[in-house]
Every structure is written in structure tokens, then in C-alpha cells.
């Protein structure tokens, strides 16, 4: 272990930057090995590249693995850098393609433009002719509309090499704090930035830190909430996999501001790669004296431990998370006192989420006014979203606060695939709301979403097309909330179950018109009287779908029909013989052999055998099954 000082950080930065730019390598291969890339097969590509290098005795190629590059739907991806040339990002790869790229690009300097997604902005001008037909990364709509502040190192650095992080100015904000700032100055800078908590509630971060510092009871604690339980959300996981040192640095700075000396990262056990990379980052930070005793020779001590959570959604609530950390059942407790006064083990505790801490180092380095320079009046900076669902470009995006939903869905997301129509976007996780097409011009900030009956949440954004039943969607999220309720308070434990029973009756064709009003009354009562944030927001999917899609509830109840053909108890299938192209795909897809078909003859469905699984509808390319 060595105790670094500021000049040592600068020296490591210069050395690492030199290695990256002029290290004597013929090329650097950056495999994007976040969870999405690994799931798509990136490990096989990594093994093949190493095998080719060994077979050919090549030693002047540097191979690293970074986190997600953002465009998850185009994984596996690799970025190849060569001296004096722009980097080239390849996508949609397999073993055959990476072999061709290795032989042509890496060994012979020929760009394989048929697999290339984009080139970077680095390199010499003018570009070689082989680069002229490949767009620049910032000209591609998915990347063009993003500003990467929290995700500034996304897909650029080897997450297991602390020197590469330092080359991107990791721990320089911490060095500035320890060398020239008092705790009060740190808190004031965070207040100037206008940073609000990115975990969902949006409480001003600087005010929370100021409140935590005000109490003189010691020890104090810093907690990073990485318990990401929203269906379709992967922001925290990707940040921890891509840039763990940013989160560690943000926590250390918070500890200095509070005079705390211990921090904990509460992260889902279902995120093994994030935990693995966090452990490596913590170990290397300790070895450099950036964690532990006498950080950067300043006399300030701070250390961080990791606590894998068991996956209870309610443990995303701050007090339930702290009970879990203490080894107790994860259940919210009554406030006041707030956690800043009596949190973990009854001591003053500040809890922020992963994205909030990741923003802190850049705010300290560049100043609070820099962070507040973009965004809206009440929502400063940028916000990270996990863009998922019925959208072409599924991935991780970071946009300025105030960006319109339409920009995220259509410009960044590429719109709706398979010639379907946009129907709704569910924002804010299972406690969020479903917003219809006429609200696509809503600005994404805390106040605008609140006015639309939605919430920012931690950043899950699920797009739905016209094949989605909004009643069934509300039922799905209500079922999720019922399962995840801790059961402590009656409004949430009983009320949400009653709402679920009503929704189940409606999708089964047994609903009554007064059920709609019952759901609204129950939902408002649960929001007003539940104990914690889970119960107060759990009715949102039901209330928002009734507000914006009430006609679907009425059709389910009055006509006993599901317009989206999702609720199986309300539909029967038949083949439109005029649309049927007699291809037989529906028969091949049917698991019950309920479809009869012969060549040059329209298909027919045996309703007695049909289990209404919708496999035939998904298989038919001509919308011939109704």
C-alpha cells in the first residue's frame, strides 16, 4: 500500500494517458462487457481474440474490457483504437464477424465498414478514405442528443484498472476537497449545483448533507443505495459496472462533508458483475491510499463496505434499507426522526443513490454553477434513463433535465419497431405512471412529470406500443406492488390487494362500471394514508391508466372485450381469410395443434383446443388473426 498525494495523482494521470495514446501498441481493443454485452456473447469474442493473438504470437495489441457503451440492443460491441486514427465502434457482432475484423482491421488496417457503427472524434485530419463513409458517433441520433456527465466514462475505460480511471480525473475532486475546501464549502458547492437526489424522491442533495452535518452525534454513516428493483431499470447496475470509482469518490467526499468515516454500498445480490467490479475498485483504491486511513496524506479516514441485498423492492426505501443493513427485516420505520438525525444504528446517516454520488466528483471539479448551467429551473443537470420496451434502440441514456419525452422515444430511441404505433410510456418504475401519446411533449423534469401525474423515479422508462392493454399493465404493476409490500401498514397491505382483486375481475370479464370509481377512491386513500413511499405511490399505475385510458376499462367492463387482444378471458381468435396468405406460420407456432392448414388453403382455428396464448398472432406477419 502506498499513500498518494495530489502530485502523485497528476503523475499517474499523465502516465496512464501516455500509455493510452502512445503506448507502443498497434491497436487497443475495447470489448464492452457490461451485463448486456456479456449476455449477448461478448465473452466468446474476448476468448477468440486472445486465442488469435496467442496463435500469431502478437504482443503489441492491448485488450481491455469496459462497461456498457449505452446502445444495449446492438451488443456485442467492440471499439478499436489505432495510433493517429479515430476509434471505430463495431456492433451486432458474433465470432465470425470479430474474426474478420481481427484479420482485416487489426492486422491490416482495413476498416470493415459493413459492421461499423461509428467512428470517434479523435485522430488526424483529413481522415483516410476508408473512414469517410462511416458516421461519427456524435452524428448518430442515439448519441447526438445525450450529454454524458454521470456516464462520462461509459464504455471508455477499463473498469478494473484504477490508473485508467485516474487518467479520466478520478479522485481529482477528492484531492481538491482535501487540499483546499472545508466541509461547509463542499456542501455549499453541492447546494449551488441544484443537484436533487436521483433515487426517485428528488430531495435537494446539498440540503440533505447540510442536515446530516448539523448533528453532532458520532459516528456518522454514508450509504449508497444500489438496490435497483424497478422492472426494466438498469441505470445503477450499468454505472457501477462502468465507473465504480466515480461512486466511491462521491461517497468519500460526502463522508468528508459530514465528518463520517464509514460508508456502505447496498447493492442487489442479483448484480454479481457490479459487486465484482466494486470489490476490485475498493481494493485498488485502498492500495493507493484513496480509501482507508490518512487519505492522500490529509489525515482524513474513510472506508467503504459492500452489503449485497436480498432483492426486496421495499428495501429501496431508505429506512427499510437501513434495517436490512442492520440485519433486521426490511421494513420502513416512522419518521421523524429522519435518517440524517437517527439512521443506521440510530446514528446520523446520509443516503443517496448511485447516480447522485456519481455526479459529485464532477460538480466539485467543475463547480456547482457548471452543473446548474443546464436543465430547468427546478431540475438541474442531467438524468440517466434505462430506455426499454417497444423501442428500437434499447439502452442507457443520459439527457439534460427538461428534454422532451418525444426526443427520448423517437430521436434517441429510434421510435417504435415493427410498424406499430406508440401507445404509452411508463416512467418512474412500478410506482410511476403511464403517459399517453398526447403527453409526448412533456418535459422530463421533476415538476413537469408531477403535473402530469407521473414521477421521475430512479430512471426506468418503458415504452409501450398499441399491442399493450393498459388495464392488464395496471394489473401487472399492482401485482408487483402487492408481492413487494412489506405488509406493515394496512392501507398498502390490504388496500393494494383489494385493488388487484378488482383488476383481476375486470380482465376476466367480470367487472362492473362502479369498479372504476372504486379503484380511484381506493387509490387516493392508499396514497394519502400509507406509511412509506411504496404505498404512497403504488396506486399510480392504476390511477394514471384510468385518467388517460379510461375507455379501455369501459370496453373491458361494458363490452367484455380487450381491444389489444391481451386479456385471454375476453378474446377468441379467428382467421381473416382475406388477409391470410396461407403461409402456415401460425400452425407451426401453435403449441396445442389448434390450427388446421394446408397449402393454398387459409388457416382455421379450433376454438376448443385454443388456449389463447397469442403465439399465432405473434407469428403471423400479415395481421390475419383477429
Amino acid at each position: 500500500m502506498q499513500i498518494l498525494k495530489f502530485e502523485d495523482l497528476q503523475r499517474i494521470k499523465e502516465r496512464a494517458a501516455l500509455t493510452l495514446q502512445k503506448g507502443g501498441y498497434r491497436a487497443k481493443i475495447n470489448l464492452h462487457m457490461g451485463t448486456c454485452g456479456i449476455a449477448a456473447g461478448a465473452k466468446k469474442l474476448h476468448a477468440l481474440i486472445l486465442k488469435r493473438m496467442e496463435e500469431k504470437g502478437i504482443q503489441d495489441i492491448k485488450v481491455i474490457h469496459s462497461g456498457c457503451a449505452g446502445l444495449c440492443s446492438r451488443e456485442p460491441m467492440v471499439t478499436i483504437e489505432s495510433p493517429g486514427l479515430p476509434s471505430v465502434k463495431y456492433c451486432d457482432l458474433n465470432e465470425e464477424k470479430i474474426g474478420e475484423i481481427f484479420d482485416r482491421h487489426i492486422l491490416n488496417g482495413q476498416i470493415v465498414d459493413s459492421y461499423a457503427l461509428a467512428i470517434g472524434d479523435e485522430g488526424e485530419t483529413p481522415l483516410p478514405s476508408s473512414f469517410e463513409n462511416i458516421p461519427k458517433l456524435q452524428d448518430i441520433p442515439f448519441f447526438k442528443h445525450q450529454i454524458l456527465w454521470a456516464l462520462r466514462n461509459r464504455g471508455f475505460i477499463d473498469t478494473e484498472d484504477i490508473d485508467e480511471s485516474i487518467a479520466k480525473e478520478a479522485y481529482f475532486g477528492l484531492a481538491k476537497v482535501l487540499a483546499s475546501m472545508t466541509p461547509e464549502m463542499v456542501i455549499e458547492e453541492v447546494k449551488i449545483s441544484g443537484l436533487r437526489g436521483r433515487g426517485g424522491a428528488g430531495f435537494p442533495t446539498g440540503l440533505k448533507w447540510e442536515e446530516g452535518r448539523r448533528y453532532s452525534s458520532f459516528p456518522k454513516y454514508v450509504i449508497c443505495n444500489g438496490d435497483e428493483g424497478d422492472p426494466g431499470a438498469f441505470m445503477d447496475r450499468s454505472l457501477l459496472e462502468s465507473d465504480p470509482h466515480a461512486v466511491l469518490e462521491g461517497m468519500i467526499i460526502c463522508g468528508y462533508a459530514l465528518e463520517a468515516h464509514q460508508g456502505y454500498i447496498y447493492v442487489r445480490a442479483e448484480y454479481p458483475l457490479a459487486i465484482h467490479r466494486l470489490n476490485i475498485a475498493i481494493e485498488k483504491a485502498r492500495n493507493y491510499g484513496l480509501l482507508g486511513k490518512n487519505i492522500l496524506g490529509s489525515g482524513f479516514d474513510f472506508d467503504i463496505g459492500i452489503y449485497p441485498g436480498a432483492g426486496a423492492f421495499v428495501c429501496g426505501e431508505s429506512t427499510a434499507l437501513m434495517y436490512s443493513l442492520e440485519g433486521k427485516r426490511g421494513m420502513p420505520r416512522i419518521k421523524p426522526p429522519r435518517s440524517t438525525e437517527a439512521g443506521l444504528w440510530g446514528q446520523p446517516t446520509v443516503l443517496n443513490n448511485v447516480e447522485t454520488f456519481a455526479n459529485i466528483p464532477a460538480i466539485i471539479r467543475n463547480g456547482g454553477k457548471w452543473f446548474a448551467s443546464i436543465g430547468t429551473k427546478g431540475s438541474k443537470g442531467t438524468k440517466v434513463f434505462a430506455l426499454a420496451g417497444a423501442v428500437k434502440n434499447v439502452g442507457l441514456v443520459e439527457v439534460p433535465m427538461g428534454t422532451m419525452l418525444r426526443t427520448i422515444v423517437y430521436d434517441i430511441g429510434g421510435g417504435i419497431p415493427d410498424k406499430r404505433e406508440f401507445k404509452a410510456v411508463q416512467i418512474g418504475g412500478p410506482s410511476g405512471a403511464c403517459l399517453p401519446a398526447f403527453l409526448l411533449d412533456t418535459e422530463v423534469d421533476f415538476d413537469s412529470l408531477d403535473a402530469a401525474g407521473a414521477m421521475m423515479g430512479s430512471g426506468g422508462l418503458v415504452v409501450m406500443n398499441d399491442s399493450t392493454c393498459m388495464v392488464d399493465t395496471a394489473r401487472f404493476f399492482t401485482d408487483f406492488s402487492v408481492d413487494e409490500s412489506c405488509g406493515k401498514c394496512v392501507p398498502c397491505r390490504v388496500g393494494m390487494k383489494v385493488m388487484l382483486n378488482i383488476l383481476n375481475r375486470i380482465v376476466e370479464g367480470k367487472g362492473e362500471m362502479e369498479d372504476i370509481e372504486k379503484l380511484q377512491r381506493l387509490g387516493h386513500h392508499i396514497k394519502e394514508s400509507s406509511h412509506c413511499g411504496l404505498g404512497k405511490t403504488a396506486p399510480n399505475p392504476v390511477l394514471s391508466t384510468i385518467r388517460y385510458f379510461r375507455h379501455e376499462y369501459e370496453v373491458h367492463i361494458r363490452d367484455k372485450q380487450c381491444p389489444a387482444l391481451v386479456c385471454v378471458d375476453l378474446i377468441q381468435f379467428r382467421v381473416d381469410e382475406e388477409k391470410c396468405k396461407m403461409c402456415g406460420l401460425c400452425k407451426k407456432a401453435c403449441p396445442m395443434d389448434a390450427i388446421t392448414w394446408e397449402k393454398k388453403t387459409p388457416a382455421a382455428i379450433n376454438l376448443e383446443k385454443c388456449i389463447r396464448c397469442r403465439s399465432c398472432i405473434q407469428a403471423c406477419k400479415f395481421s390475419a388473426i383477429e
Side-chain angles (χ1 to χ4, degrees), residues 33-40 67-68 237-238 241 271-274 277:
M33 294 180 68
T35 295
C36 53
I38 292 172
C68 169
R237 186 202 73 206
S238 296
E241 291 173 358
Y271 288 174
L273 182 61
R277 290 182 176 171

Side-chain angles (χ1 to χ4, degrees), residues 9-85:
L9 281 179
Q10 188 65 35
R11 175 177 50 79
I12 292 171
K13 175 185 174 181
E14 293 170 357
R15 184 186 68 201
L18 189 66
T19 302
L20 289 172
Q21 296 167 13
K22 302 175 182 178
Y25 294 105
R26 183 192 322 188
K28 183 173 82 169
I29 304 174
N30 177 358
L31 288 114
H32 300 291
M33 294 180 68
T35 295
C36 53
I38 292 172
K43 281 189 174 181
K44 292 181 180 179
L45 307 189
H46 185 226
L48 188 144
I49 289 170
L50 296 181
K51 182 179 179 182
R52 288 286 184 94
M53 290 174 60
E54 183 180 358
E55 290 173 348
K56 297 180 180 293
I58 296 173
Q59 296 183 347
D60 59 351
I61 294 175
K62 185 175 183 178
V63 181
I64 71 168
H65 51 269
S66 64
C68 169
L71 193 50
C72 304
S73 56
R74 304 298 299 274
E75 295 281 3
M77 300 175 70
V78 300
T79 301
I80 297 176
E81 300 176 40
S82 304
L85 294 174

Side-chain angles (χ1 to χ4, degrees), residues 71-113:
L71 193 50
C72 304
S73 56
R74 304 298 299 274
E75 295 281 3
M77 300 175 70
V78 300
T79 301
I80 297 176
E81 300 176 40
S82 304
L85 294 174
S87 59
V88 181
K89 195 175 295 293
Y90 292 100
C91 63
D92 302 318
L93 299 179
N94 55 32
E95 292 178 82
E96 181 180 346
K97 290 179 180 179
I98 198 66
E100 184 178 350
I101 291 169
F102 188 90
D103 293 337
R104 290 176 56 187
H105 185 161
I106 297 172
L107 298 185
N108 295 304
Q110 301 174 1
I111 309 303
V112 188
D113 53 8

Side-chain angles (χ1 to χ4, degrees), residues 45 86 106 115 117 215 249 299 335 482 492:
L45 307 189
I106 297 172
Y115 306 149
L117 173 69
Y215 296 106
E249 184 181 4
K335 298 180 241 184
V482 169
C492 179

